[in-house]
Amino acid sequence: AQSVTQPDIHITVSEGASLELRCNYSYGATPYLFWYVQSPGQGLQLLLKYFSGDTLVQGIKGFEAEFKRSQSSFNLRKPSVHWSDAAEYFCAVGAHFGNEKLTFGTGTRLTIIP
Amino acid sequence: NAGVTQTPKFQVLKTGQSMTLQCAQDMNHEYMSWYRQDPGMGLRLIHYSVGAGITDQGEVPNGYNVSRSTTEDFPLRLLSAAPSQTSVYFCASTLKGYQETQYFGPGTRLLVL
């Protein structure tokens, strides 16, 4: 079964600074990988996803993520954060075959300070 | 399109009561799922459906029932509420499968006393 770990529960970043949120997964083959964002009181919204091909994936709102098979990681990055990026971020992993389920990480809460 | 709608937004139950959380989507999506979100635990899959008439268990199905009689609706039933079911519940849908973008509803906050 697949699993995903987000080691950082809470991260605080100054507005305009760069951001990297960590995600490590466990799966026997190449997985489907996703990043979702949840603003306070809202449902989740897809930021980006990786299935195959180019390991650097571009998403919405200026986010990108890089799939590194050797490190079993799929870290989310943004070069310059905005106050509106304050939210909770979830990494998720799914299997390519069978198992019709996504497994979510526990999330990283991002706080932006002026 | 309204997308994914959930009702109610907030509910308080007493232990042992039953209720149904409603979920509907107007995008003709085949795949629908229910998650619960608890602090420090992320989202956990309760039940999911790959089409009308087809449902399956997720990671934490105990205490919950689902049915999928139409493509649009995917209600979640709590048969006998317990305090451990206090949580925020999200319904989500995708066109064919989870590999595609999941569209989430706004959530139902449930408190069981």
Side-chain angles (χ1 to χ4, degrees):
Chain A
Q2 65 265 31
S3 66
V4 59
T5 301
Q6 294 181 249
D8 303 306
I9 296 173
H10 186 202
I11 285 182
T12 300
V13 177
S14 298
E15 189 168 16
S18 63
L19 171 70
E20 183 169 26
L21 302 181
R22 296 183 291 166
C23 172
N24 294 99
Y25 70 90
S26 174
Y27 181 62
T30 302
Y32 293 127
L33 293 162
F34 306 79
W35 275 100
Y36 281 84
V37 61
Q38 183 182 31
S39 298
Q42 304 293 317
L44 278 70
Q45 180 185 22
L46 180 69
L47 283 176
L48 48 79
K49 58 186 176 182
Y50 172 79
F51 289 171
S52 63
D54 192 347
T55 57
L56 186 62
V57 180
Q58 301 297 321
I60 63 171
K61 304 184 180 184
F63 285 92
E64 66 177 27
E66 186 172 11
F67 171 61
K68 293 186 177 180
R69 184 190 305 276
S70 62
Q71 299 177 19
S72 297
S73 68
F74 188 57
N75 294 349
L76 182 71
R77 301 194 295 250
K78 187 169 185 178
S80 177
V81 298
H82 185 262
W83 64 265
S84 60
D85 293 325
E88 189 148 18
Y89 292 79
F90 293 92
C91 183
V93 62
H96 268 235
F97 300 104
N99 191 354
E100 291 286 340
K101 305 170 189 176
L102 265 187
T103 300
F104 283 84
T106 53
T108 297
R109 182 172 301 278
L110 175 64
T111 298
I112 308 296
I113 55 177
Chain B
N1 285 350
V4 180
T5 59
Q6 291 183 240
T7 56
K9 291 185 179 180
F10 181 71
Q11 182 72 46
V12 179
L13 289 179
K14 294 181 180 179
T15 296
Q17 287 185 316
S18 62
M19 79 160 295
T20 299
L21 280 63
Q22 300 292 344
C23 174
Q25 52 88 12
D26 61 358
M27 298 174 283
N28 203 31
H29 284 177
E30 291 187 7
Y31 184 97
M32 296 185 74
S33 52
W34 276 103
Y35 296 90
R36 59 178 291 174
Q37 183 179 30
D38 302 292
M41 305 197 71
L43 275 77
R44 292 180 292 168
L45 183 65
I46 304 172
H47 285 286
Y48 66 100
S49 169
V50 299
I54 306 169
T55 63
D56 204 350
Q57 295 181 351
E59 181 184 357
V60 287
N62 292 341
Y64 307 95
N65 276 357
V66 293
S67 60
R68 185 95 179 270
S69 57
T70 67
T71 300
E72 295 79 16
D73 300 301
F74 191 42
L76 178 72
R77 298 181 186 84
L78 282 69
L79 304 177
S80 178
S84 61
Q85 294 178 303
T86 293
S87 186
V88 181
Y89 292 85
F90 288 100
C91 179
S93 74
T94 66
L95 182 59
K96 290 289 185 181
Y98 73 83
Q99 302 92 329
E100 303 175 13
T101 301
Q102 285 204 76
Y103 293 86
F104 283 80
T108 294
R109 187 174 296 274
L110 177 66
L111 175 62
V112 183
L113 301 175

